[in-house]
Amino acid sequence: MTIKDTPEEWEIRGSETPFTGAKTSVRTDEVVMPDGSVARRDYQVHPGSVAVLALDADDRVLVIRQYRHPVRERLWEIPAGLLDVPGENPLHAARRELYEEAHVKAEDWRVLTDVYTTPGGCDEAVRIFLARDLSEAEGERFAAEHEETDMELARVTVEELVQGVLAGDLHNNCLVVGVLSLVAARGGPGLDALRPAEAPWPARPFES
């Protein structure tokens, strides 16, 4: 048996958007269940995101520490951001986020993994990239605002991050999934066998 997620869409009898925010909205769909009944399902509509696990020559991951108001914690994360433009090439967005949040560029890019963050209540899809061959970016640093003005940067070994994840000390979805995927890839076919940086992404189709 092949273990693989497959596309499927149940009938929607009605839909409304009771809230629209700056980047996301909330939608209520009336969905027909397998027994013919209709159930209301509320979920956040999200443009999608990219995240970057940037790995340096000393096997350290570039991480940032940022306040996240919904959970009332300051979390260690990997650089990440929204797909601001519909159909935007996720690789271009990932390069932008790595530059803006860390002032770093990378020469080697691959797709580490694709995930849905909370598919029971949000349609956000995230593509997590592996970026290697790092160097300082040229030009002026990006002008940070809001939570990013208080952001910390660090480089932490893969081993230390894995220990933090398993100890329950690190909680950011992209960091957890990215680091553990990195370790799994190394223990399997190797990092060079990862998908190319512009591999198709059915959850958020784009043009190269």
Side-chain angles (χ1 to χ4, degrees), residues 44-55:
Q44 182 184 24
V45 178
H46 194 286
S49 307
V50 293
V52 185
L53 193 147
L55 188 66

Side-chain angles (χ1 to χ4, degrees), residues 166-194:
L166 298 181
D169 295 331
L170 300 171
H171 308 93
N172 175 263
N173 181 287
C174 292
L175 184 149
V176 171
V177 173
V179 169
L180 297 186
S181 294
L182 174 71
V183 173
R186 282 177 164 173
L191 301 184
D192 290 336
L194 290 169

Side-chain angles (χ1 to χ4, degrees), residues 11-16 28-32 38-41:
E11 180 185 353
I12 298 173
R13 292 278 174 85
S15 183
E16 58 184 34
T28 299
D29 288 342
E30 297 179 355
V31 186
V32 179
V38 176
R40 291 170 65 88
R41 292 291 178 261

Side-chain angles (χ1 to χ4, degrees), residues 109-177:
W109 289 85
R110 297 174 189 273
V111 175
L112 191 52
T113 190
D114 299 323
V115 295
Y116 292 118
T117 54
T118 49
C122 179
D123 71 352
E124 180 183 15
V126 182
R127 169 156 283 188
I128 304 176
F129 289 90
L130 172 66
R132 294 181 291 177
D133 193 6
L134 309 182
S135 61
E136 192 78 5
E138 300 173 355
E140 297 183 2
R141 286 187 172 273
F142 181 76
E145 60 181 7
H146 304 307
E147 290 89 346
E148 294 181 353
T149 59
D150 193 35
M151 196 163 59
E152 302 174 47
L153 290 171
R155 296 194 183 202
V156 182
T157 65
V158 173
E159 181 181 5
E160 186 176 351
L161 291 175
V162 170
Q163 291 174 352
V165 168
L166 298 181
D169 295 331
L170 300 171
H171 308 93
N172 175 263
N173 181 287
C174 292
L175 184 149
V176 171
V177 173

Side-chain angles (χ1 to χ4, degrees), residues 83-120:
L83 291 169
D84 294 326
V85 181
E88 180 179 16
N89 187 315
L91 176 59
H92 298 170
R95 284 176 170 152
R96 180 184 68 239
E97 294 301 328
L98 186 60
Y99 166 75
E100 291 182 357
E101 295 193 351
H103 202 66
V104 166
K105 64 180 181 179
E107 298 302 323
D108 188 298
W109 289 85
R110 297 174 189 273
V111 175
L112 191 52
T113 190
D114 299 323
V115 295
Y116 292 118
T117 54
T118 49

